[in-house]
Amino acid sequence: MTVHFKQDEPDNSNRLDGMKQGVIGKPLPRIEGLAKVTGTAPYAAEYPIENCAEGVLVTSTITRGEVTSIDRTSVLSMPGVIAVVDDEKLCTRAAQGTANEAPMQGPAQVCYWGQPIALVIAETFEQARDAAKHLKVEYREDAGAPIDPGAVEPEEQEDETVHQGDLSHAMAEAAHSVDVTYTTKGHASAAMEPHAAIAQWDGDKLTVHASLQMLNYNITELADALDMEEENMRLISRFVGGGFGSKLGISEEVVAAALAAKQIGRPVRVVQSRQQVFQTVMRRSETTQRLRLAADENGKLTGFGHEALVSNLPGETFAEPVLQSSHFMYGGENRELMLNVARIHRMTAGSVRAPGEAVGMPALEGAMDVLAEKAGIDPVELRLRNIPEQDPEEDLPFSSHKLAECLTQGAKAFGWDKGPRKPRQRREGEWWIGTGMANAARVHNIAEAKARVTLKADGTALVETDMTDIGTGTYTILAQIAAEMLGLGPEQVLVELGDTRYPRGPGSGGSWGAASIGSAVYIACKAIREELAARLGTSEEELELRESKTAGGEALTDLLGGKDLAREGHYEPGDIEDDYTASGFGAFFAEVRVNHYTGETRVDRMLGAFGFGRVLNAKTARSQCIGGITWSIGVALTEALEFDPRDGHLVNCDLAEYHVPVHRDVPDLQVLLVEERDGAASPIQAKGIGELGMCGGAAAIANAIYNACGARLFDYPMTPDRVLAAIPD
Amino acid sequence: MRPFQYSRAPSLAEASNLTADENALAIAGGTNLLDLMKLQVETPDQLADINRLGFADIEDTDEGGLRLGSLATNTETAVHPRVRADYPVLSRAILAGATQQLRNKATNGGNLCQRTRCFYFTNIDQPCNKREPGSGCGAIDGIAKLHAILGTSEQCIATYPGDMAVALSALGAEVQISGDKGERSVPVRDFHLLPGDTPWIENVLEPGEIITGIVLPAPVGSTQIYRKVRERSSYAFALVSVAAIIELTDGKFSRADFAFGGLAHKPWFDPRFGEALIGQPPSEALFDKAADVLLEDARGYGENDFKIPLTRRTLRAVLAQATEDAA
Ligand SMILES: Cc1cc2nc3c(=O)[nH]c(=O)nc-3n(C[C@H](O)[C@H](O)[C@H](O)COP(=O)(O)OP(=O)(O)OC[C@H]3O[C@@H](n4cnc5c(N)ncnc54)[C@H](O)[C@@H]3O)c2cc1C
Ligand code: SF4
């Protein structure tokens, strides 16, 4: 039995708070944690499948043009080689998140250097890899493909454009104004587990083990790519070794494995090499962002301008949503917002860790620091003065807004010094030391979700959904929600995820997983409670369950009478999506040291205070925040994709040369969870967490660099060469 | 990965034999070689595993120095009590490289022979004179932030990426080599070569020659500094590194052995740099003057222009640290 709930109104009943089991919000360790760290949790490529052949993708060595011939004989006689696949259904790009249709197909048309064009299948991985390197391919090259985003006429993303009032006038009249341009380099998701798939056919039925974030969409994408019915397909992603956006849509290896397995009549495994993951999946676009801020003498914004240039391949709809939070972060009645996309032939740009705010907020919050300095106002105070009453563009209320609390509590916990801020005040030996802060914002996303909860006759519970856990803690929080609602210990709840045989969840992405699927589980549990209450002749609201018993001491197993009780919860966000502007908010504080001689920057300490609705598990929530802050250190200091200026290929395509922060770059991070209940965000009053932790943090570091050594930088990442170029002597 | 023959060399003579062929390579820790083989940058037909040859000891020499076996690991070397006490610059240089896991596996001989991290060298679908003579240099006019500013050629601007050898160069260590023509000893300062017209020849090893050890001279009681500038605080190659062995007598430099990493196709040792310092009291002006000599012929390739000022400033940092350490 399915219970459908479409949420049109905020739910401020806070029912989870009234339950008696007392496990919701508790810092429980991740259920699957031990299996993962002991290597017993199987990842996509690790399923032992008999008679499985190995496929390796062949990638293009031109930027744009056409594959005119592939000489199979060049590899078919090599040891172990079984076949070459160049089926026109092969995908040449990964699908964008929630695309719900096949990504670009037709491997003969080359659109970027490194694009998959064929697959070689052999008995062993090494044989396939060797043969893939030896496959003779001829091309007709289309020279002169543009690869520099600054060198083409960009396209305007009209739905992002805002013209309100007269910004130029406001700038001219302003007591204080800022007009600065920031740049950010491209980023890679850099998940540990490479993209991998094993495909198996049984007649016309296909099973694929893959590393994917959103099975609900992925199955449609795969069905579309293969031109078959979803009913004949099963996708399995029980454990995902990180996705960070790169596994939102299906990527090339999934379709290639399916086609190859069909062609040779054997299971086929395709694992992308680290270099291929970097070069073929998704990049975050580089950005150029102009910020214009006009303020009165009190620092209150009267004008707000944010214009950004990003890039993508021809034919892609995705444009890094740089302005996402800029639309509502600050007031200012005179507004100019515009997002432009340059069509260039670098690999696909798509969702990478907090698309939009991850790079938009660092630029905006850097500019706010410049304004604070110009206006002579403490940066925390400036932010406090500019919290808008409601969405400044949409005439909508905020679902909730904890920014002021985050700012004041964060400043206090960090020991923010409200004194006058002048750069170059503290020096220890070779090191300049300084502090900086920035706001955090990340839109709250929510999606339709289904989950089945079964209260088993033996008194345990089973939660089933095709939702994935990409390392965030989904298994654990779903067990906690069900346990809380049904009065069980979390260890009595078995959570089964990542299999399309189960009811369709929303998938993991855009930080929407917990609130969306958590709501579906909540609805299912509530329906079970209703049935139990009916059996007891009471109401669901009155029903008290704890430690597998009712308040009256009746055992759940007795109530069940030897039978399972199952309900499917179906959550759908209704009018709440349109009636409110919903976002997570927060504040970052950082102390850094900058080496006077070498320009090296190290983060000494960092604190993030975040308000994102209900905390479902204090430990996994904190871990999400720590991960986010760590990424913001990467944005600030180290991460940069480098593209060859001639053919546009990605050059630094491994984890040695693409610099994510290492342990030594990450100090002890402090996280303040500023608890709130946001009934307009979801019926469990929770919002998204994961990404918020990286949306703005880089600016806290950049602003601290300025405060430390006087180098005001406008280009991320702030590597030693850039710091040195800007540091006063 | 291309198919290859693997044999475990039972003796030094056999190791020489096995690696005498042009398409044969020795394998020690494999931390560099295997990565390059997977990428088909290295495509040996024959691998001679030298791990059972011994050469793993670290022992005192009659001259009061220390002999490091070529098969001793980087970790064993860095933590050796005498290395830490008498050659701290070496210990620090090793510990500034790679990660603990890599250093546990990496050997001293392999470390000397590690290959450049040039992005075009490691991508076989790009031009590279070092990998494929005559194909061109992808890095010139490409992404060349890590590349050399000294001793470059029209053919190649790659750097030698290692840290350990920079310290060894400053220390004036010698490389012991054994081959079918017998044994020989080569100063570390002469071991690596500049690219010139033959960038694929990186050091003086002839086919069939195996490094058996590294000999450190008797220690000089002095200030030793290893300074590595990098984009993240660990697990990154040097933008610029400086190994310095300094002695002050009566407030003046009586020893100033400096070697530099990240600047050239080899650890860079320029005797004129030390000469400019000897007999003078330390000062920023003096270091700047010595840097002028060092960087006289330096040439940036756009993206790596910053290495010129960075080298100067890093030297000032070394000076500041030296004066601090001495005080
Ligand atoms: C991700 C990463 C980061 C790194 N970072 C750093 C760093 O920051 N600083 C740094 O200095 N190094 C760094 N390294 C390099 C590392 O130090 C080397 O890979 C290692 O020292 C090589 O030693 P090995 O024994 O594994 O050599 P192998 O990989 O076995 O061999 C390397 C080469 O040396 C030859 N060879 C090995 N032993 C001998 C011998 N006895 N005689 C003759 N030839 C021999 C081999 O034929 C081969 O050509 C890094 C490596 C990696 C993978
Ligand atoms: S710099 Fe040297 S290693 Fe790099 S591409 Fe040029 S020739 Fe090859």
Side-chain angles (χ1 to χ4, degrees), chain B residues 3-77:
Chain B
F4 56 89
Q5 287 291 327
Y6 166 91
S7 3
R8 185 178 289 156
S11 66
L12 186 55
E14 195 50 31
S16 284
N17 239 341
L18 284 167
T19 56
D21 190 79
E22 241 190 277
N23 264 331
L25 281 175
I27 181 161
T31 60
N32 188 220
L33 185 51
L34 287 179
D35 278 359
L36 294 174
M37 285 173 68
K38 290 180 199 164
L39 296 169
Q40 304 220 344
V41 173
E42 297 271 29
T43 50
D45 298 327
Q46 167 77 49
L47 271 195
D49 184 337
I50 59 172
N51 284 295
R52 302 279 172 101
L53 294 187
F55 309 134
D57 293 336
I58 298 178
E59 56 205 6
D60 297 344
T61 65
D62 295 343
E63 291 73 32
L66 198 63
R67 181 177 185 283
L68 314 171
S70 65
L71 290 168
T73 66
N74 278 180
T75 298
E76 287 158 357
T77 308

Side-chain angles (χ1 to χ4, degrees), chain A residues 282-523:
Chain A
M282 284 288 172
R283 66 181 167 98
R284 184 205 304 287
S285 172
E286 71 297 317
T287 72
T288 303
Q289 304 177 49
R290 182 182 183 198
L291 270 305
R292 279 180 292 172
L293 304 174
D296 66 19
E297 55 283 358
N298 296 318
K300 186 115 173 127
L301 289 172
T302 55
F304 183 92
H306 194 169
E307 292 143 272
L309 173 67
V310 301
S311 70
N312 209 342
L313 278 167
E316 292 297 323
T317 50
F318 181 89
E320 180 75 19
V322 177
L323 311 179
Q324 210 154 239
S325 284
S326 296
H327 288 294
F328 58 78
M329 187 77 230
Y330 296 116
E333 49 286 12
N334 301 291
R335 303 177 82 80
E336 290 279 344
L337 287 89
M338 194 193 279
L339 181 65
N340 284 314
V341 191
R343 292 285 162 212
I344 56 168
H345 292 263
R346 292 180 182 176
M347 58 181 285
T348 322
S351 295
V352 173
R353 306 184 230 143
E357 289 95 327
V359 285
M361 287 297 290
L364 170 54
E365 291 299 291
M368 282 295 279
D369 199 62
V370 178
L371 178 62
E373 185 185 32
K374 279 200 167 173
I377 299 171
D378 178 76
V380 174
E381 179 59 30
L382 180 71
R383 264 76 170 190
L384 284 169
R385 287 184 197 175
N386 278 293
I387 298 175
E389 295 283 311
Q390 60 164 34
D391 186 312
E393 289 172 14
E394 299 282 347
D395 194 21
L396 288 177
F398 288 108
S399 67
S400 74
H401 205 303
K402 281 278 167 198
L403 179 55
E405 288 87 339
C406 292
L407 282 165
T408 43
Q409 290 178 30
K412 185 152 177 267
F414 181 79
W416 181 258
D417 178 5
K418 287 232 173 85
R421 292 178 59 76
K422 275 205 338 229
R424 289 164 85 91
Q425 299 301 303
R426 247 178 97 189
R427 173 106 181 234
E428 280 175 15
E430 299 176 17
W431 299 90
W432 294 106
I433 297 168
T435 56
M437 60 77 53
N439 278 351
R442 172 70 177 163
V443 291
H444 165 64
N445 297 305
I446 184 114
E448 191 170 356
K450 290 181 196 161
R452 182 168 50 238
V453 178
T454 309
L455 188 53
K456 301 287 234 180
D458 64 5
T460 64
L462 174 67
V463 177
E464 296 164 308
T465 161
D466 80 350
M467 175 66 184
T468 52
D469 184 330
I470 58 173
T472 50
T474 313
Y475 279 105
T476 314
I477 57 144
L478 295 187
Q480 281 173 279
I481 294 170
E484 188 67 55
M485 293 293 287
L486 301 175
L488 302 174
E491 69 287 348
Q492 291 172 287
V493 184
L494 177 66
V495 182
E496 294 277 17
L497 303 179
D499 189 328
T500 51
R501 284 191 313 187
Y502 303 138
R504 298 293 168 80
S508 304
S511 299
W512 74 13
S516 308
I517 194 66
S519 295
V521 170
Y522 167 81
I523 289 160

Side-chain angles (χ1 to χ4, degrees), chain A residues 89-100:
Chain A
K89 288 189 179 129
L90 280 176
C91 293
T92 59
R93 305 176 189 179
Q96 297 288 353
T98 70
N100 234 12

Side-chain angles (χ1 to χ4, degrees), chain A residues 603 606 628-638 661 665-667 669 698 701:
Chain A
V603 180
M606 205 160 163
I629 299 176
T630 301
W631 291 131
S632 60
I633 296 174
V635 174
L637 299 178
T638 57
D665 296 316
V666 185
L669 303 173
I701 295 168

